[in-house]
Structure formats: structure tokens, C-alpha cells
Amino acid sequence: MEKDFWHERWQRNEIGFHRDTVHPALEKHWSAVSRDEPGPVLVPLCGKSLDMHWLARQGHKVVGVELDPGAVKAFFGEAGLAPDVDETGPLTSYSAGDITLFAGDFFDFDPPGRFDLVYDRAALIALPARMRPRYLAHLATLLQPGARGMLITLEYPQACMAGPPFSVLPEELKEVREFAFDCLARNDVLEAHPRFADKGLPWLNEAEYLLTSR
Ligand SMILES: C[S@@+](CC[C@H](N)C(=O)[O-])C[C@H]1O[C@@H](n2cnc3c(N)ncnc32)[C@H](O)[C@@H]1O
């Protein structure tokens, strides 16, 4: 996707992907996924997700990366937080408490250390098929071998709707060299997302995976 596409989505507040509550799959599976390891969690393409506050409440430092600076400012502003801002690197960092969000292009994100934990909800599926291999390859460079995390995808017949969100099927994940994906749950979510039913989707699943870096 072009960067302008996402900036426009944020400027127009067309952010149907944003949840007003913590994702139930995160609450359900995170303890097992993380094995209760307390380390920092990388949240790529993080938007202003409330899941990051939940992860911080579990004792993690949280590092998010988000293209749109307005989204980053909204994340802190809506939480009543005044972050410290550092504009010295290629991405501008905003930090408050245990949460640091980097505003800029994920593909330019090159921190000094590697992460043991990652949380991807609506990041991989935000990208078209031709960009997903590059995303996964870059993500792998940011993680330690053996790093664990959670991936949440949507599955639907792609021909019935133009993304984003894009449909990412298990067959595609099986071909990914950098990661192993073990399905934790798959739920029919069409009724819960009437905006997709309105677009003519005959079925829609949400799949939750344990991701392990090879
Ligand atoms: C579908 S939204 C999901 C946001 C968040 N993960 C959530 O669950 O609410 C995808 C987000 O990725 C951001 N994004 C798209 N391309 C990006 C890139 N190259 N680098 C960083 N963020 C990007 C968009 O601005 C958007 O906020």
C-alpha cells in the first residue's frame, strides 16, 4: 500500500480496524505465547491499538512502529499521556512510561537490539501479497532466533473484496521460511463484522497463531 493511503485513512478517521477494547485473543493466549517471559514486545504497524496498554500492564516494555504520526499522538493523547519526543533518528520516537512508539516507515526501523516477543494484529494483513514477504523478512531481522509472538489474521475469499484487510490463508504461512506458525484458534467472525458482510463476503474467519522465529 502507498503511504498516502494510510495517512489519508488516519486524517479522515476511517479506521474501522481500530478496536475500542483489548483484543480477546491477546488476553486469552498471551500468557502461553509469551511463556510469561517479561521482555520487551515489538508491535509492528501498531496504529493506536489499546492492546499496547494491556501488554504494558502485564509488565512488558512495549515498542510500537506506526507510519502515521497523528496515530501515535492520538495513542498517547487519548490515554492522557504526554510523551517525550526524540527526533534524532530516521523515525521519531514518542515515549511515556513503558511504551515507546516510533513514527515512520517500519522498513526503516533498525533498532540496536533484537526482540524476543512480537505481537502482530492487523499488520501482516494490512499489506498486499507482494509486500508480505518483505514485511516478514524485515520482521525476522528484528527478532532473536526462537522469538515468539502472536499473529492474528483474517481469512476470506480474496476475489470477493479488495483489501485491506487482505486475506492471509494458512497455505501462504506454511511457505514462510523465517517463521513457524501454529494455529491456536480459528473463529467465524462474519456476524461480528457486518461491514464485511455488507461488502458481499460469504464467509470470514479470524485465525490466531503462535509465531516462532526460526
Ligand atoms: C490495519 S491497521 C492496524 C493497526 C493496529 N495493529 C491495530 O490492531 O489497530 C495498519 C496500520 O499500519 C500502518 N502502516 C502501514 N504501512 C506501514 C509502514 N510501512 N510502516 C509503519 N506502519 C505502517 C497504518 O498506518 C495503520 O495504522
Side-chain angles (χ1 to χ4, degrees):
M1 305 304 296
E2 297 299 328
K3 293 176 185 174
D4 285 349
F5 169 86
W6 290 107
H7 291 311
E8 278 172 26
R9 293 282 291 262
W10 281 103
Q11 273 157 22
R12 295 181 189 161
N13 204 32
E14 291 173 359
I15 52 169
F17 53 79
H18 179 72
R19 294 178 53 92
D20 292 334
T21 56
V22 175
H23 200 296
L26 178 64
E27 294 177 302
K28 185 171 181 188
H29 297 298
W30 184 254
S31 175
V33 163
S34 67
R35 293 178 170 157
D36 293 323
E37 291 288 334
V41 184
L42 174 64
V43 185
L45 283 60
C46 62
K48 58 172 186 174
S49 171
L50 300 179
D51 297 348
M52 296 190 282
H53 291 301
W54 186 88
L55 286 164
R57 286 198 295 277
Q58 310 316 303
H60 295 286
K61 290 200 182 309
V62 175
V63 176
V65 186
E66 166 55 44
L67 185 64
D68 190 77
V72 171
K73 289 173 192 162
F75 172 82
F76 289 107
E78 289 168 14
L81 298 169
D84 295 326
V85 181
D86 181 350
E87 295 181 338
T88 53
L91 287 81
T92 300
S93 75
Y94 296 71
S95 299
D98 285 330
I99 303 180
T100 300
L101 303 191
F102 287 85
D105 191 340
F106 176 69
F107 296 103
D108 294 334
F109 182 58
D110 184 20
R114 289 179 164 219
F115 293 83
D116 286 309
L117 295 169
V118 60
Y119 176 62
D120 174 328
R121 184 261 165 183
L124 181 66
I125 64 167
L127 302 172
R130 65 181 166 75
M131 284 184 71
R132 294 197 287 266
R134 184 177 169 221
Y135 166 80
L136 290 165
H138 186 58
L139 183 61
T141 69
L142 303 174
L143 302 177
Q144 296 280 6
R148 292 161 67 86
M150 199 165 159
L151 168 71
I152 302 177
T153 62
L154 289 174
E155 304 171 340
Y156 62 87
Q158 187 69 80
C160 292
M161 187 179 86
F166 295 95
S167 174
V168 174
L169 300 175
E171 296 74 33
E172 177 177 338
L173 296 177
K174 273 193 202 109
E175 299 301 316
V176 176
R177 277 185 301 111
E178 295 92 342
F179 300 103
F181 298 97
D182 297 301
C183 189
L184 303 166
R186 176 171 284 106
N187 300 305
D188 176 347
V189 293
L190 190 58
E191 273 190 28
H193 295 284
R195 68 193 169 104
F196 294 131
D198 291 347
K199 288 184 179 179
L201 288 194
W203 56 271
L204 175 69
N205 291 333
E206 185 175 77
E208 300 145 13
Y209 294 89
L210 163 66
L211 160 168
T212 312
S213 186
R214 296 194 212 268

